[in-house]
Amino acid sequence: MGWAGLLIVFPFLMAYAASSDLLTMLIPNWISLALVVAFAAVAAVSGLGWTAIGWHVGAALLTLSITFTLFAFGVIGGGDAKLAAATTLWTGIGNMLDYLLVASVLGGGLTLLLLAVRAHPLPSPLRRLPFAMHLHDGKTGVPYGIALAAAGLAVVPYTALWSDLYGL
């Protein structure tokens, strides 16, 4: 079950979060909740000790407190805050900063790309797609869930949880 959580459930939920944010500018709450439940299942079958679980939970709570502060100031969306915290639960405290740094770099690149695209007219075939019109609108935010999900997928293979499950 542990390998299934890392190789199937976690990537699926990350891809779903990214695509949902791209298409709707929303990350449903059930995705973050499913990440928490799946982590609990993986932790149970992997033999992760209580101390290690505590560090993972601590990393998630620290991330949640920071991201909800950013949400309160209107810097990020609530779905982004919850997704970052749920993903940090998987990365743990040892890779939390790596995850947040990669997410910041990818998010910055995504923001610059969107600004560049928004500076030009949307090609006519894309004008028929409501999500493209919405995404192209300068008043629309950045679907940062894409960066958060990509960072999670990039960092998780380097975590202690991954190493423990695969004996690396």
Side-chain angles (χ1 to χ4, degrees):
M1 169 57 189
W3 66 268
L6 277 173
L7 292 178
I8 298 171
V9 176
F10 181 79
F12 172 79
L13 291 171
M14 291 288 104
Y16 195 94
S19 61
S20 176
D21 206 17
L22 173 67
L23 296 174
T24 66
M25 297 298 287
L26 294 171
I27 301 170
N29 289 333
W30 71 262
I31 294 174
S32 297
L33 182 60
L35 283 165
V36 170
V37 170
F39 173 81
V42 168
V45 300
S46 71
L48 202 61
W50 287 110
T51 302
I53 291 171
W55 283 109
H56 280 263
V57 170
L61 291 175
L62 178 59
T63 302
L64 187 63
S65 66
I66 293 167
T67 56
F68 258 76
T69 300
L70 294 171
F71 169 69
F73 286 104
V75 176
I76 65 172
D80 297 329
K82 291 176 271 189
L83 180 63
T87 305
T88 304
L89 181 64
W90 285 78
T91 66
I93 196 83
N95 295 92
M96 179 179 75
L97 292 178
D98 295 335
Y99 168 66
L100 295 174
L101 177 65
V102 171
S104 296
V105 170
L106 292 175
L110 178 62
T111 301
L112 292 174
L113 176 65
L114 268 178
L115 289 173
V117 168
R118 288 174 179 169
H120 302 287
L122 193 62
S124 58
L126 295 177
R127 289 186 200 140
R128 288 178 279 190
L129 302 173
F131 90 91
M133 291 294 294
H134 184 69
L135 191 59
H136 192 264
D137 185 354
K139 296 177 205 131
T140 301
V142 175
Y144 213 81
I146 296 169
L148 295 170
L153 292 171
V155 171
V156 160
Y158 299 98
T159 63
L161 180 62
W162 182 280
S163 296
D164 290 347
L165 284 173
Y166 296 99
L168 301 173

